[in-house]
Amino acid sequence: KPANNEIWYTATKKVEPYKDNAFGTVYLSNTYDSTSKRGVLTFKGDVTTIGTEAFYDCDSLTSVTIPDSVTTIGYSAFDSCDSLTSVTIPDSVTTIGDWAFYYCTSLTSVTIPDSVTTIGDCAFSDCESLNSVTIPNSVTTIGDYAFNECSSLTSVTIPNSVTTIECGAFESCNNLTSITIPNS
């Protein structure tokens, strides 16, 4: 588990943030071991956000572990990270922003923690390998096109906490055969 001033990752080569000022603190260093394919991004203080375009188009990134100090995964934070297969989102995160994981075509499953209340517009759009998603009983809004084009998704259970499912939330999920929508 990373310290609050670290982000752990695995990648096929050393990953540099697309925007190194997107973390709510000062970016200090990046160590990467090419043998184990593991890296650690280190910051001056606690990482509070994975902000706008933090890892945009980092196509060598395969997994990421976010520290417990992060409350927001922002706009396009992991947009177009097409080798990303897994992400560990801590219980401290309350918002998954618009386009956060857009076009992460290798992402196969995601567990959204109980702290999240909003899944933003296009948050997981075009994640064509996503076959499993757990939406917790804390989410109240599923944004526009949140899971659009998730063609591997076969079933979804929407919890009782959800009061709004926006336009196109599950559009073009061609293999979706089961969906449970609550009375809320």
Side-chain angles (χ1 to χ4, degrees):
K1 189 172 174 177
N4 287 345
N5 70 328
E6 297 176 337
I7 296 172
W8 292 355
Y9 70 91
T10 61
T12 55
K13 62 181 183 182
K14 189 174 188 175
V15 168
E16 292 295 341
Y18 183 75
K19 290 196 174 172
D20 61 10
N21 62 348
F23 301 94
T25 186
V26 176
Y27 173 61
L28 292 178
S29 66
N30 182 355
T31 56
Y32 179 74
D33 180 341
S34 59
T35 305
S36 68
K37 307 287 187 202
R38 295 176 189 269
V40 178
L41 298 171
T42 305
F43 300 84
K44 187 174 182 176
D46 290 356
V47 178
T48 57
T49 183
I50 308 295
T52 299
E53 297 179 335
F55 293 101
Y56 174 78
D57 202 24
C58 289
D59 58 2
S60 62
L61 189 66
T62 55
S63 76
V64 64
T65 304
I66 299 167
D68 289 341
S69 52
V70 171
T71 58
T72 303
I73 299 174
Y75 175 85
S76 290
F78 295 96
D79 186 337
S80 300
C81 292
D82 54 8
S83 297
L84 187 66
T85 58
S86 96
V87 59
T88 303
I89 303 171
D91 289 338
S92 54
V93 172
T94 58
T95 301
I96 298 174
D98 297 348
W99 304 81
F101 295 94
Y102 172 74
Y103 207 71
C104 290
T105 56
S106 298
L107 192 62
T108 56
S109 71
V110 64
T111 300
I112 299 167
D114 289 338
S115 51
V116 172
T117 58
T118 302
I119 300 171
D121 297 348
C122 298
F124 296 95
S125 184
D126 287 81
C127 292
E128 60 190 38
S129 299
L130 189 65
N131 58 41
S132 172
V133 62
T134 301
I135 301 171
N137 206 26
S138 54
V139 171
T140 58
T141 301
I142 299 172
D144 290 338
Y145 303 98
F147 296 96
N148 174 51
E149 298 279 347
C150 290
S151 54
S152 297
L153 205 55
T154 57
S155 72
V156 173
T157 300
I158 298 169
N160 289 325
S161 57
V162 172
T163 56
T164 305
I165 302 170
E166 299 286 354
C167 173
F170 297 95
E171 183 175 310
S172 298
C173 293
N174 298 338
N175 290 307
L176 191 60
T177 57
S178 168
I179 187 161
T180 303
I181 300 172
N183 293 334
S184 58

